[in-house]
Amino acid sequence: GETITIKDLAEKMHVKAADLIKRLMMLGMLVTINQEIDAETAAILAQEFGYEVEVKPEFDIESLLAEEPETDPAALKPRPPIVTVMGHVDHGKTSLLDAIRKTNVTATEAGGITQHIGAYQVEKNNRKITFIDTPGHEAFTAMRARGAKVTDVAVLVVAADDGVMPQTVEAINHARAANVPIVVALNKIDKPNANPDRVKKELADQGLVPEDWGGDTIVVPVSALKKQGIEDLLEMILLVADILELKANPDRPARGTIIESRLDKGRGPVATVLVQNGTLNVGDTLVAGQQFARVRAMIDDRGRRVSEAGPSTPVEVLGFSEVPEAGEAFVVVEERLARQIAQKRLAKKREEEARARAKIALEDVYRRI
Ligand code: GTP
Ligand code: MG
């Protein structure tokens, strides 16, 4: 909400700050001259001095960036599902992602995988599926903590020889909290000691009752190692995605999330971004957190230069002024505004840091007393 310092309020009311502080003390509040009080307190205080207070909302940049709901349903087009792979340590997340990518990308692409980026797309039945290659619930949690919803479907990898483990349960809880449907990949079925029935029982105990047990959880037996069941898994992902009726409007300025970022020796700051709505074009200007970018070039998951990226498409973006933070949302806006927003956010961050430092210093003083 809006705030004002005692000093500013006193100036506006043409009274002494000390008088305001005194009055607040009588109301039971201990404040200093540079302290900010909320609009409500300011209003009460001003009334005590015979003023009426009108709170004008400050020009709020964040609400300006909030996504307006689509008014024209005809503008919405189907988009590929965005899938995250989660599961317990060593249950085969990375192997599964590799298997999905190899059976679907290398086979059809001359030259194979030229470059690895943090997200990629595969095709199944002439439809695309986007995988975010940040397996593990830590990345998931970090993104969710930032309010970024980047996953439509969670693939829960459970090793058939090990079963439901603590991090499996955590992953289930994360997916549930984010309201994301779960498809179970029952991995390592090639192992002699694999025990699918035991794992299904453990899943049922967690409320994920498999379909063949009369529940509605899709469980696909796979072997990432032997590349078995991969096509089935992709098919099931599409099935679940169909129910979600995922749509976006490709004909508007892009917005989405920074998936990963780094400083490249030759190319400068590089970010893998996931476009979630609209279309990102070379030449667009965007803001992500405190960072500004003019999109100089875009590279897709096969290492090809592209000039545009539509909904659910992951691309590497070149042209950031500095490395943006993973998990940060990005929005395409007109250049001047993008720069202003980045600056304003930076100023706010600095202010918060200064305030935190001041607080620490103050606590230090208190301790010494
Ligand atoms: P973390 O990233 O450490 O959490 O592990 P992960 O879940 O990514 O597992 P990863 O893919 O690294 O696989 C762990 C081990 O299991 C490796 O030695 C893999 O070769 C093996 N593995 C993965 N999938 C299969 C499978 O389907 N069958 C068999 N037999 N082994 C597998
Ligand atoms: Mg891994």
Side-chain angles (χ1 to χ4, degrees):
E2 307 302 320
T3 59
I4 188 166
T5 62
I6 294 291
K7 186 165 174 276
D8 290 346
L9 184 63
E11 261 168 35
K12 278 188 206 294
M13 287 166 54
H14 307 288
V15 297
K16 281 189 199 139
D19 290 338
L20 291 188
I21 292 170
K22 247 185 254 163
R23 188 61 65 98
L24 276 176
M25 213 143 76
M26 282 157 63
L27 293 170
M29 270 180 82
L30 273 179
V31 295
T32 58
I33 186 158
N34 289 313
Q35 194 165 331
E36 290 188 356
I37 57 171
D38 59 36
E40 208 181 323
T41 310
I44 293 169
L45 194 57
Q47 259 165 17
E48 300 248 325
F49 284 82
Y51 283 89
E52 271 215 33
V53 174
E54 190 193 350
V55 182
K56 279 198 191 140
E58 189 196 345
F59 167 56
D60 182 8
I61 227 130
E62 303 303 331
S63 70
L64 188 81
L65 292 182
E67 184 158 25
E68 330 92 69
E70 194 62 60
T71 46
D72 178 15
L76 291 170
K77 306 271 154 55
R79 65 167 178 85
I82 301 163
V83 181
T84 305
V85 176
M86 297 194 288
H88 194 72
V89 182
D90 275 354
H91 279 198
K93 300 176 294 289
T94 303
S95 304
L96 185 64
L97 280 161
D98 284 351
I100 289 168
R101 199 161 195 226
K102 285 208 184 81
T103 45
N104 282 272
V105 181
T106 328
T108 54
E109 276 296 299
I113 302 160
T114 45
Q115 195 171 3
H116 175 87
I117 68 169
Y120 62 85
Q121 279 187 331
V122 299
E123 256 183 53
K124 174 75 187 166
N125 306 340
N126 291 319
R127 291 169 62 186
K128 286 176 174 158
I129 305 173
T130 304
F131 281 91
I132 303 183
D133 195 359
T134 46
H137 49 264
E138 268 159 46
F140 199 76
T141 312
M143 292 207 180
R144 207 154 53 78
R146 286 159 183 262
K149 188 177 188 283
V150 286
T151 305
D152 299 311
V153 178
V155 168
L156 181 69
V157 181
V158 188
D161 62 337
D162 203 24
V164 171
M165 298 300 279
Q167 278 176 274
T168 316
V169 177
E170 270 179 49
I172 293 169
N173 292 337
H174 284 304
R176 283 203 176 125
N179 204 16
V180 169
I182 297 170
V183 174
V184 177
L186 191 51
N187 193 29
K188 307 198 188 185
I189 46 151
D190 60 283
K191 283 195 139 184
N193 57 340
N195 190 346
D197 277 336
R198 197 198 84 203
V199 182
K200 283 183 186 175
K201 191 199 165 291
E202 290 170 355
L203 286 168
D205 289 344
Q206 295 297 325
L208 295 177
V209 184
E211 280 187 316
D212 54 344
W213 284 31
D216 55 11
T217 300
I218 299 174
V219 179
V220 188
V222 298
S223 167
L225 195 72
K226 303 254 171 5
K227 308 210 173 17
Q228 283 165 4
I230 306 298
E231 300 297 335
D232 285 345
L233 179 64
L234 296 179
E235 219 146 297
M236 289 305 143
I237 290 169
L238 286 176
L239 201 75
V240 169
D242 282 339
I243 300 164
L244 300 174
E245 294 188 54
L246 303 166
K247 286 184 176 152
N249 176 4
D251 300 312
R252 59 187 285 170
R255 57 170 64 228
T257 303
I258 311 287
I259 298 296
E260 58 177 21
S261 58
R262 64 180 194 281
L263 189 62
D264 187 285
K265 256 191 182 171
R267 303 184 295 169
V270 180
T272 301
V273 313
L274 180 69
V275 178
Q276 291 174 276
N277 201 9
T279 296
L280 186 62
N281 295 286
V282 167
D284 280 349
T285 50
L286 61 85
V287 61
Q290 293 114 37
Q291 310 313 333
F292 165 86
R294 169 187 290 284
V295 182
R296 197 168 72 227
M298 293 195 289
I299 297 135
D300 74 3
D301 58 341
R302 321 256 170 104
R304 299 175 299 209
R305 280 204 170 221
V306 290
S307 56
E308 55 169 50
S312 299
T313 309
V315 276
E316 260 192 348
V317 168
L318 271 57
F320 275 92
S321 50
E322 275 173 71
V323 180
E325 257 183 88
E328 202 78 74
F330 79 83
V331 192
V332 166
V333 278
E334 176 237 315
E335 172 162 4
R336 227 182 47 171
L337 190 58
R339 286 188 191 279
Q340 259 179 31
I341 293 164
Q343 267 165 22
K344 196 160 174 165
R345 282 177 174 170
L346 187 64
K348 193 170 168 217
K349 190 178 155 214
R350 295 237 164 98
E351 193 185 302
E352 274 163 14
E353 283 167 358
R355 207 176 295 153
R357 271 198 303 275
K359 189 166 169 258
I360 290 165
L362 200 64
E363 275 168 4
D364 199 35
V365 171
Y366 282 139
R367 255 202 307 279
R368 277 183 219 179
I369 297 167

